[in-house]
Amino acid sequence: MSLTSRIKPISYLKANVAEVLTKLNEQREPLIITQNSEAKVVLQDVTSYEETQ
């Protein structure tokens, strides 16, 4: 998956929370959330997160 498809505005997250969570768990690729056109957070599934710890 390309980096640009993994960058979404916070409004997208708010409108599609269930879909985002499903995709995070299935694809195991982080999602970058922007606010006011700036990257603010990275969402990641728990398994991937635990692997990095």
Side-chain angles (χ1 to χ4, degrees), residues 1-8 12 23 27 30-32:
M1 181 181 289
S2 71
L3 181 60
T4 56
S5 66
R6 292 185 290 155
I7 300 172
K8 301 290 184 193
Y12 178 85
K23 284 184 179 181
Q27 298 173 355
L31 181 66
I32 300 164

Side-chain angles (χ1 to χ4, degrees), residues 30-47:
L31 181 66
I32 300 164
I33 301 297
T34 64
Q35 185 177 34
N36 299 325
S37 302
E38 292 183 23
K40 292 294 183 179
V41 297
V42 176
L43 296 179
Q44 183 177 36
D45 67 282
V46 172
T47 304

Side-chain angles (χ1 to χ4, degrees), residues 8-24 31 33 43:
K8 301 290 184 193
I10 196 165
S11 58
Y12 178 85
L13 177 63
K14 289 177 182 179
N16 301 286
V17 173
E19 177 187 343
V20 167
L21 294 179
T22 299
K23 284 184 179 181
L24 284 172
L31 181 66
I33 301 297
L43 296 179

